[in-house]
Amino acid sequence: MMATVTFGEVVFLPPEKVSFSQAASHQRVALMEVGEITQLCPPGQQVVSFSGFFPPPGSYPFQAVSEPKAAAEQLKKMLADKKHYPFVMSGVQLDIQMEATLEELELWQEGGDESICYRVRLQEYRDAEATVLQITESSTVRTEVSQSPQTYTVKSGDTLWAIAKQYLGDGSRYSEIAELSGIGNPNLIYPGQVLTLPEE
């Protein structure tokens, strides 16, 4: 099976090296009368980096690959248009399929031919509306705490509506969290921000 690497409509030669990274996104949550607990969360977004070149037409007759100038223009457009695209790398040991955004792009020429070299960094795209909030508590905390957590630390992809739905059972109560936390604009929260949750 021939290796295939595509991002949107751009077809790459299989790169010699692909860097894949992903970090755990566990959070610490402070509970009244208990202290800090660890909230186990799903892994963070995947990041894929690789480099290579787009060869002149006809250089690789048995391998489909985008024409250099067209590929470069398409990548520049993808960097600017604020959209996500499917990234597929198959036929190799590290198969990857995901929706991704183009975070970094470098283009250059060398050697005096028609080839265009590139370096890209892609990041997995996750829809905020599709992200489900989950909190894992130890059995000790369950027995000691009968109320909802009094504070919550915001992580990437969170919305006040989803937090209110998870901890208060009603997303429309987001305004209560905003008021208690001193948030003027409920649409603007950021990772690491500590929110105060109302008692049920």
Side-chain angles (χ1 to χ4, degrees):
M1 179 179 179
M2 184 173 292
T4 301
V5 180
T6 61
F7 181 49
E9 297 180 357
V10 181
V11 182
F12 303 84
L13 284 175
E16 292 185 5
K17 178 181 178 181
V18 178
S19 173
F20 169 88
S21 63
Q22 188 174 29
S25 55
H26 306 319
Q27 300 287 330
R28 286 190 170 186
V29 180
L31 302 182
M32 290 181 64
E33 300 180 2
V34 175
E36 287 188 335
I37 65 169
T38 298
Q39 176 181 326
L40 300 178
C41 303
Q45 293 164 296
Q46 303 176 67
V47 176
V48 178
S49 303
F50 58 95
S51 60
F53 67 98
F54 297 104
S59 300
Y60 290 79
F62 303 107
Q63 175 75 56
V65 60
S66 295
E67 185 271 331
K69 185 175 180 180
E73 292 302 317
Q74 180 65 18
L75 287 172
K76 287 191 287 186
K77 178 179 180 296
M78 295 165 79
L79 183 67
D81 66 8
K82 300 179 182 180
K83 295 181 181 180
H84 57 92
Y85 298 88
F87 172 68
V88 178
M89 186 170 67
S90 61
V92 294
Q93 290 183 325
L94 188 62
D95 280 3
I96 301 174
Q97 294 189 26
M98 65 181 184
E99 289 293 314
T101 54
L102 179 56
E103 298 294 312
E104 292 183 13
L105 170 65
E106 183 179 358
L107 298 169
W108 72 95
Q109 283 189 278
E110 59 183 38
D113 60 17
E114 297 179 32
S115 299
I116 295 180
C117 302
Y118 68 85
R119 182 180 296 108
V120 297
R121 182 171 70 86
L122 311 179
Q123 181 163 315
E124 179 184 10
Y125 173 80
R126 295 181 183 176
D127 191 318
E129 296 299 324
T131 302
V132 178
L133 297 176
Q134 295 180 339
I135 181 168
T136 304
E137 302 176 55
S138 68
S139 58
T140 302
V141 173
R142 288 197 183 97
T143 59
E144 292 180 359
V145 181
S146 59
Q147 299 178 342
S148 298
Q150 297 301 300
T151 62
Y152 174 80
T153 303
V154 177
K155 62 180 183 294
S156 179
D158 280 349
T159 64
L160 282 183
W161 179 279
I163 294 170
K165 178 69 174 177
Q166 175 72 19
Y167 295 103
L168 306 179
D170 183 359
S172 65
R173 295 181 64 186
Y174 73 92
S175 58
E176 297 178 37
I177 300 177
E179 183 177 353
L180 286 173
S181 304
I183 297 174
N185 185 348
N187 295 318
L188 296 177
I189 59 175
Y190 54 87
Q193 184 176 12
V194 178
L195 306 179
T196 301
L197 305 181
E199 296 183 5
E200 293 189 352

